[in-house]
Amino acid sequence: MFGLETDVFILLFISLFAACAFEFVNGFHDTANAVATVIYTNSLKPTVAVVWSGICNFTGVLLGGIGVAMGIVNLLPVELLVDQNVYHSVAMVLALLLSAIIWNLGTWYFGLPSSSSHTLIGSILGVGLAFATMPENKTGAAVNWDKAIETGYALLLSPLLGFSLAIVLMFILRRSVPEEAKDQLFKEPKKNTEPPTWVRAILIATCSLVSFFHGSNDGQKGVGLIMLILIGIVPYHFAVKADLDPRLMQTNVTAIQQTISALDSTHLSLTNRVRLAQTNTELTELSALVNGPLVDGKIPNEKRLDVRRDLLLINSNIKKITADEGSNLSAAQNALLTKNLGEEGGLRRFTDYAPLWVILMIALSLGLGTMIGWRRIVVTVGEKIGKQHLTYAQGASAELVAAMMIGMASWLKLPVSTTHVLSSGIAGSMVANKGVKNLQAGTVKNIALAWILTLPVSVLLSFTLYIFFRWVL
């Protein structure tokens, strides 16, 4: 398969299996948060709830695009993503996947709704930092810090917003819902008793939305993992999109060259003057390649990683150059650059993609994982965050807020944590009901501890595993 030697093919298979295992674990770890309210409020039977949530997750992955997936891929430095040594790529993939799976399984076992997103991103950061210690890394590149900071803001702000918005929504419901409906909406579920039909419909709808948007965000992280594996181990097939005619790049290259020729480099910083010279060289190389003889209209195998590196560096360098205070480009010129660099009709359409079979594989893994192992997290979310049991209004408010936050993040192509957003929403709804004293300090402390530990532990795990695998492979 893919013309690989037997040992490399086995490593590819193990890596793909590990990525699917991570997404499977993500399904029963994170998606339990989505079904917690409908199960706990007796709106749906557990079996029906997890199957329905699995279907919604599957659909979310299929329809969610790949913006978040590429954000995950681009956390790592270009030098690591275009390493010609296939065993280095295998070490990278196994390190970040195993560290993420170990921490996810550990927190699941103890019933703690920790974040798979934090785990994965911490694992990626650990690999990047470990790569910085490698002798072949002449530049000292470790992590795409601009992307990492952007991702960090999304992960930090989303639970805070989830907590706050749930309080606001509960306040609005208390003020706007008629008294006769309020009695039904704000009471605790009775054991083995379904809620009123209209309340049940709201809870099922919000569960469906959270599940769908969870698939559209968390599912993309799995897609990003698979693409990291494929680009690293079989770059000849996946470094650039094979079914696009490379000669289509020429229009973009020409437009970019003409636009950046208007830059007055004397006002740029020294670093950005170097970047500008490097970008012009890469654009010239790309132009010569796509205008030269191409067999069957394809980029030669041995050139595909080089082309990917050039495309990524051109995009990264131009963003930094145009952000320089000395840049004299107009808004129209910057917009033209953005268009010709982007994934819709620009150069990034050759690097930012995922085959349909990859998306289907992750959708299936996430959907199946949803149907297993939900009970531990459901009990924590339903009974242990607040001192009172979850009411219908609290469940609906928390899930509606979570759906909005995750959907917005997917639209902005940013990864967020379903766990953090939803559990923060539950906490916010508890506070809205009877104040901070309504929170169970022990559970909140354990959840907070899992949140705080997730990033450093996953960084340390993946850092250590990457060093180990580089030594072994």
Side-chain angles (χ1 to χ4, degrees):
M1 186 177 181
F2 300 128
L4 298 174
E5 297 176 2
T6 302
D7 59 337
V8 178
F9 174 74
I10 292 172
L11 288 172
L12 172 63
F13 178 81
I14 292 171
S15 299
L16 292 175
F17 179 81
C20 290
F22 169 80
E23 205 59 39
F24 182 84
V25 172
N26 187 9
F28 71 69
H29 189 283
D30 276 15
T31 312
N33 293 281
V35 299
T37 53
V38 288
I39 293 175
Y40 191 76
T41 59
N42 304 310
S43 298
L44 288 176
K45 298 293 184 184
T47 303
V48 175
V50 294
V51 170
W52 175 243
S53 181
I55 292 170
C56 292
N57 270 283
F58 183 91
T59 308
V61 179
L62 289 183
L63 302 180
I66 59 166
V68 175
M70 291 302 105
I72 294 294
V73 171
N74 293 327
L75 278 171
L76 290 170
V78 173
E79 292 81 359
L80 181 54
L81 293 176
V82 295
D83 193 329
Q84 297 281 354
N85 189 316
V86 67
Y87 294 101
H88 293 177
S89 299
V90 171
M92 169 192 74
V93 168
L94 290 180
L96 67 89
L97 281 173
L98 288 178
S99 60
I101 290 170
I102 289 168
W103 184 249
N104 264 1
L105 283 175
T107 52
W108 166 80
Y109 179 79
F110 290 104
L112 297 175
S114 69
S115 167
S116 294
S117 301
H118 272 199
T119 306
L120 175 59
I121 289 164
S123 299
I124 291 174
L125 296 180
V127 167
L129 292 171
F131 175 70
T133 69
M134 295 294 109
E136 74 273 11
N137 186 355
K138 306 299 182 183
T139 65
V143 175
N144 181 348
W145 290 113
D146 289 339
K147 191 66 183 177
I149 291 170
E150 181 184 76
T151 301
Y153 278 134
L155 291 172
L156 177 64
L157 293 176
S158 54
L160 296 177
L161 286 172
F163 179 83
S164 304
L165 289 175
I167 294 176
V168 172
L169 187 54
M170 285 285 290
F171 177 80
I172 292 172
L173 287 175
R174 285 190 179 280
R175 290 301 181 95
S176 60
V177 174
E179 286 299 323
E180 60 273 14
K182 190 182 294 184
D183 291 339
Q184 295 177 322
L185 192 60
F186 284 88
K187 68 179 181 182
E188 294 179 10
K190 293 182 180 179
K191 191 174 182 179
N192 300 323
T193 303
E194 290 183 357
T197 302
W198 67 276
V199 174
R200 186 179 180 217
I202 291 173
L203 289 165
I204 293 173
T206 55
C207 166
S208 303
L209 287 171
V210 171
S211 299
F212 175 85
F213 286 122
H214 176 266
S216 73
N217 197 280
D218 272 45
Q220 286 192 55
K221 296 161 193 167
V223 172
L225 280 175
I226 295 290
M227 292 310 297
L228 278 176
I229 294 167
L230 296 175
I231 292 165
I233 300 178
V234 278
Y236 294 167
H237 296 272
F238 298 100
V240 291
K241 194 171 184 180
D243 59 356
L244 277 179
D245 187 343
R247 287 167 291 202
L248 294 173
M249 292 184 197
Q250 186 56 54
T251 302
N252 304 123
V253 169
T254 301
I256 293 169
Q257 285 176 320
Q258 290 174 348
T259 305
I260 64 174
S261 66
L263 272 167
D264 183 358
S265 61
T266 59
H267 296 290
L268 297 174
S269 67
L270 177 59
T271 302
N272 281 328
R273 288 202 295 271
V274 173
R275 288 186 178 126
L276 181 60
Q278 181 186 20
T279 301
N280 279 316
T281 300
E282 288 153 356
L283 288 166
T284 301
E285 289 175 356
L286 272 181
S287 183
L289 176 66
V290 299
N291 286 315
L294 298 174
V295 179
D296 298 326
K298 304 288 185 184
I299 298 170
N301 285 346
E302 66 275 10
K303 292 288 186 182
R304 291 188 179 182
L305 265 183
D306 292 335
V307 169
R308 182 178 183 86
R309 183 192 61 232
D310 286 347
L311 291 172
L312 294 178
L313 287 175
I314 287 167
N315 184 76
S316 173
N317 286 339
I318 288 181
K319 284 184 177 179
K320 291 172 182 174
I321 292 166
T322 54
D324 192 304
E325 291 181 0
S327 171
N328 62 327
L329 295 181
S330 66
Q333 288 172 317
N334 282 323
L336 185 62
L337 284 175
T338 300
K339 176 183 176 182
N340 282 282
L341 290 169
E343 61 268 19
E344 294 183 11
L347 293 180
R348 290 300 288 266
R349 72 189 188 277
F350 289 90
T351 58
D352 291 11
Y353 78 101
L356 180 59
W357 65 268
V358 170
I359 296 173
L360 286 171
M361 185 164 65
I362 290 299
L364 186 60
S365 299
L366 184 64
L368 289 175
T370 301
M371 302 176 192
I372 298 173
W374 49 269
R375 190 178 303 274
R376 291 177 184 270
I377 308 296
V378 166
V379 172
T380 298
V381 171
E383 297 183 13
K384 296 183 178 179
I385 292 179
K387 291 182 179 178
Q388 67 172 118
H389 286 195
L390 195 73
T391 66
Y392 302 130
Q394 290 171 323
S397 298
E399 290 216 316
L400 184 58
V401 166
M404 290 190 302
M405 294 296 302
I406 300 166
M408 179 65 71
S410 297
W411 180 66
L412 293 173
K413 303 177 183 178
L414 293 171
V416 293
S417 166
T418 299
T419 304
H420 283 197
V421 175
L422 185 57
S423 54
S424 295
I426 296 288
S429 71
M430 292 290 177
V431 170
N433 219 26
K434 292 184 179 179
V436 177
K437 63 182 180 181
N438 196 31
L439 295 176
Q440 287 199 42
T443 300
V444 172
K445 189 183 296 182
N446 287 338
I447 293 173
L449 185 62
W451 290 359
I452 293 168
L453 289 178
T454 292
L455 202 59
V457 169
S458 54
V459 167
L460 181 61
L461 273 174
S462 62
F463 183 99
T464 306
L465 286 172
Y466 181 75
I467 299 293
F468 172 74
F469 285 128
R470 282 292 302 268
W471 176 64
V472 170
L473 295 176

